[in-house]
Amino acid sequence: MISVVIRHRLLRIRVFLPADSENLSRQNFYASCRKPCRSLFHTGKKNPCTHAKRRPAQLLCDHPQQQATSLEISQRFVCTNPKEEVMPHPHTERQNLEKSMSPLSIWALAFGAIIGWGAFIMPGLRFLPGSGPIGACIGFVLGGLMLTFVALTYGRLVGCHPVAGGVFAFSYAAFGPTLSFICGWALVLGYLSIIALNATAIVLLTRFLLPGVLEIGHMYTIAGWDIHAGELFMLEAVLVIFWLLNYCGADIVGKVQVLLAVILAVGVIVIVVGALSAPDSRLENLSPWFAPDKSALASIAAVTAIAPWLFVGFDTIPQAAEEFKFPPSKGTGLMILSIVCGILVYSAVTLAVGVVMPWPSLTADASIVWHTGYTVELSLGKTGSIPLALAVLSAILTGINGFYIASSRLLFSMGRAHILPDWFGRLHGKHKTPTNALNFVMLIVLIAPFFGREVLSWVVDMSSIGTIIGYLFASLAAYSIAGTCRDMFSASTRPLAVLGCIASLICLCLLVLPFSPAAISFPSWCVLGIWVALGFCLYCLRLNTIRSYPEDERAYLILGDSELCKSCVPNWKDK
């Protein structure tokens, strides 16, 4: 046996090691001395993590052949906290994403993900007839305000610990691998289905602007939606192009996102200016302000209820936090700015549609297929279809691009942590992009259009529940971590987390309660059951593999070499 002595302050700890331990690793050594260290330093008090400062231990070795090992082990730090210290596995290589995203590209990522085809389709189909112009605008503001509390909670976490995976990583730090898998699994389907649904929105645009041009080679009809070979080929090409852009690096895809976001914003401005300058445009056309068959409160609630669907996308910022090339504390402001811009765009387009002509007669005319397109043509003429088409196309493409980034980073983080297969956690050697995760995303979204838009809408409706579960987990994780590691967060973090939890629960109730105007349909519940069953089976199959990795190593892989990894993870391990 070889005896190794650790001297820390006035304490000397002797640990006996096998004589053949020439290649002793820090992890094995730590496993040998973990229990004695805990018993010596344990005070019996449940103190918060205020042990940010650590003093190095001195190590003395009695065997001459162990000098190198002794020197290596002496670089470790002995923690004075009652809870055991979590240190990175010495032989684990943590693959890091390249820091290449600017503040402008991150804002464009969230803004483009929030503003999709719905901002131009829904005013005449749902916003005006269901809420009225003013009721819809108030609903946008209230819905955005609710999600601002969630964004502030996200911001506190991202500001301290910018890592890929977003709420998945923070759920792990607070609750461990099982609940973090549930959170990640809930978000994965939501992100993937939004990519596919945005792609099929291009078909709606081409059928309006170029009727019959791509509707060639009818293949079959599913849930009332006709599948044509020409449209499928176009969709597959678009999805492959954005896969290739993401494959080539976050810097390139960020610049593309900024360009598309600028085109979207300019298109909206042109539409609004055209509507206000139309000959028949007047404020009287916005009357009645609320839906005539509802109270003012019910009109506002009809839009507020779908706020999670309207503003989903600001949470793509935490997914890309590891790629910030700016201080992560700016992430909070960028999320709030993207929500505010979303409120402005939704309100502006809705008012532009309602001000050109009396909106009750507009929405009652069954011959009008696309109300936004019809009013733009009234105000700007045939040439008005150009800025409208560019704005809608940019909104669709920014959504595809944004959720390509978010879903691939989430899958990469889960694979890097060995919770999903390790294949997901590999990076491209040159571009430093999660290529395997991107390949998986592309494969899924290439298959999705074959199911038709109606079936995909069931999936998206159901995935809104997954998105809200992510919001709830983020708020709960912030509350838990801020209470345990008080030196890392300001005193306002826990109250914000409580508000975020309340907002998330309100949104969740609006989706699951059958009498809610945003209640999901029976087919969506069926899809949700299938997804939950698949997640349960996958986790059961991965359980032995997950348990085979030390949590010290997993914490390092998910959270990096940060104080959150060293200080907060032991709290759920010891429970």
Side-chain angles (χ1 to χ4, degrees):
M1 299 294 288
I2 302 170
S3 64
V4 178
V5 178
I6 297 178
R7 178 183 297 144
H8 179 71
R9 294 181 181 175
L10 300 177
L11 299 176
R12 291 171 60 89
I13 307 170
R14 182 176 295 273
V15 181
F16 293 93
L17 307 173
D20 58 350
S21 302
E22 295 184 3
N23 296 319
L24 180 67
S25 70
R26 301 180 200 166
Q27 182 71 17
N28 293 334
F29 171 79
Y30 182 53
S32 302
C33 69
R34 178 183 297 173
K35 291 184 178 179
C37 287
R38 179 187 292 203
S39 61
L40 281 170
F41 294 123
H42 184 58
T43 62
K45 298 179 181 179
K46 296 182 179 180
N47 296 324
C49 293
T50 56
H51 60 295
K53 296 182 179 179
R54 294 177 171 83
R55 294 177 172 81
Q58 297 178 2
L59 183 141
L60 305 175
C61 183
D62 296 341
H63 197 282
Q65 296 181 357
Q66 294 295 322
Q67 293 298 328
T69 301
S70 302
L71 181 62
E72 179 185 4
I73 297 174
S74 66
Q75 303 303 315
R76 294 188 51 78
F77 289 85
V78 176
C79 180
T80 60
N81 190 63
K83 299 184 181 296
E84 66 185 80
E85 182 183 9
V86 180
M87 295 295 289
H89 193 281
H91 301 301
T92 297
E93 181 182 358
R94 185 180 189 270
Q95 299 198 66
N96 298 306
L97 295 167
E98 185 177 0
K99 297 185 180 299
S100 57
M101 302 285 279
S102 66
L104 184 59
S105 60
I106 289 295
W107 167 81
L109 168 67
F111 174 65
I114 289 174
I115 303 301
W117 63 274
F120 301 91
I121 302 295
M122 299 297 284
L125 294 178
R126 184 163 187 171
F127 298 156
L128 290 174
S131 300
I134 304 303
C137 292
I138 296 175
F140 297 142
V141 173
L142 292 180
L145 181 61
M146 279 199 308
L147 294 182
T148 297
F149 295 125
V150 180
L152 289 170
T153 304
Y154 269 113
R156 297 301 173 88
L157 294 169
V158 172
C160 293
H161 314 287
V163 293
V167 66
F168 160 76
F170 304 129
S171 296
Y172 174 81
F175 310 118
T178 300
L179 290 181
S180 65
F181 171 82
I182 294 173
C183 178
W185 189 251
L187 289 173
V188 165
L189 182 63
Y191 291 163
L192 294 178
S193 60
I194 292 174
I195 296 174
L197 193 68
N198 270 299
T200 59
I202 301 177
V203 174
L204 294 176
L205 184 62
T206 57
R207 287 182 181 180
F208 178 81
L209 297 176
L210 305 170
V213 174
L214 295 175
E215 296 175 72
I216 55 177
H218 183 270
M219 300 170 63
Y220 53 89
T221 300
I222 180 169
W225 181 264
D226 293 328
I227 306 295
H228 296 91
E231 293 173 340
L232 273 180
F233 179 79
M234 176 196 62
L235 294 183
E236 304 293 274
V238 170
L239 292 171
V240 170
I241 288 172
F242 276 93
W243 164 82
L244 183 61
L245 289 173
N246 278 270
Y247 185 91
C248 292
D251 182 46
I252 296 175
V253 81
K255 293 176 181 177
V256 171
Q257 188 79 354
V258 171
L259 176 62
L260 292 172
V262 171
I263 295 174
L264 168 59
V266 172
V268 171
I269 293 173
V270 171
I271 292 170
V272 172
V273 172
L276 294 176
S277 60
D280 296 330
S281 177
R282 56 180 58 90
L283 291 177
E284 289 78 7
N285 292 335
L286 297 177
S287 179
W289 289 2
F290 301 94
D293 57 340
K294 298 178 182 177
S295 66
L297 185 60
S299 298
I300 295 170
V303 168
T304 305
I306 59 173
W309 178 80
L310 295 176
F311 296 101
V312 60
F314 76 88
D315 52 315
T316 58
I317 290 181
Q319 299 296 342
E322 195 168 311
E323 296 165 274
F324 290 179
K325 63 176 183 181
F326 56 89
S329 58
K330 292 184 178 180
T332 304
L334 293 172
M335 280 187 280
I336 295 175
L337 179 61
S338 65
I339 293 175
V340 171
C341 291
I343 294 172
L344 294 176
V345 170
Y346 280 120
S347 301
V349 175
T350 300
L351 293 175
V353 173
V355 79
V356 175
M357 61 180 292
W359 69 263
S361 59
L362 173 69
T363 56
D365 191 343
S367 64
I368 300 176
V369 179
W370 185 17
H371 303 85
T372 306
Y374 180 79
T375 55
V376 169
E377 186 174 336
L378 285 179
S379 59
L380 296 174
K382 291 291 184 181
T383 57
S385 61
I386 297 176
L388 175 61
L390 289 175
V392 176
L393 185 60
S394 298
I396 294 170
L397 296 181
T398 51
I400 293 174
N401 195 33
F403 286 104
Y404 245 123
I405 295 173
S407 56
S408 61
R409 272 53 176 180
L410 176 58
L411 290 169
F412 164 74
S413 181
M414 296 177 75
R416 183 169 62 179
H418 309 300
I419 290 179
L420 289 182
D422 298 354
W423 181 82
F424 287 97
R426 297 173 187 168
L427 294 178
H428 190 277
K430 178 182 178 181
H431 304 302
K432 297 300 180 182
T433 52
T435 51
N436 289 344
L438 285 168
N439 293 338
F440 177 81
V441 172
M442 181 187 67
L443 177 64
I444 297 299
V445 298
L446 286 179
I447 296 172
F450 287 87
F451 290 95
R453 184 172 177 81
E454 186 62 30
V455 174
L456 289 175
S457 68
W458 299 342
V459 180
V460 172
D461 289 344
M462 175 276 300
S463 67
S464 297
I465 293 180
T467 303
I468 295 173
I469 289 175
Y471 297 163
L472 181 60
F473 267 88
S475 301
L476 291 174
Y479 186 87
S480 175
I481 297 173
T484 304
C485 304
R486 298 173 185 172
D487 56 327
M488 297 182 188
F489 298 91
S490 64
S492 62
T493 300
R494 299 193 89 186
L496 284 174
V498 171
L499 293 174
C501 289
I502 294 172
S504 302
L505 290 173
I506 291 174
C507 293
L508 186 62
C509 291
L510 290 171
L511 285 176
V512 301
L513 294 178
F515 55 83
S516 168
I520 64 174
S521 61
F522 177 74
S524 297
W525 281 111
C526 295
V527 176
L528 177 61
I530 294 172
W531 187 248
V532 170
L534 287 174
F536 178 78
C537 294
L538 175 61
Y539 192 73
C540 290
L541 291 174
R542 295 284 304 167
L543 190 57
N544 289 335
T545 303
I546 292 172
R547 289 177 175 174
S548 67
Y549 288 91
E551 291 304 329
D552 301 2
E553 176 182 349
R554 195 187 325 279
Y556 171 63
L557 291 172
I558 295 177
L559 303 169
D561 190 13
S562 66
E563 284 299 314
L564 183 62
C565 172
K566 299 172 185 177
S567 305
C568 297
V569 174
N571 291 284
W572 60 258
K573 287 180 62 180
D574 291 344
K575 290 179 181 178

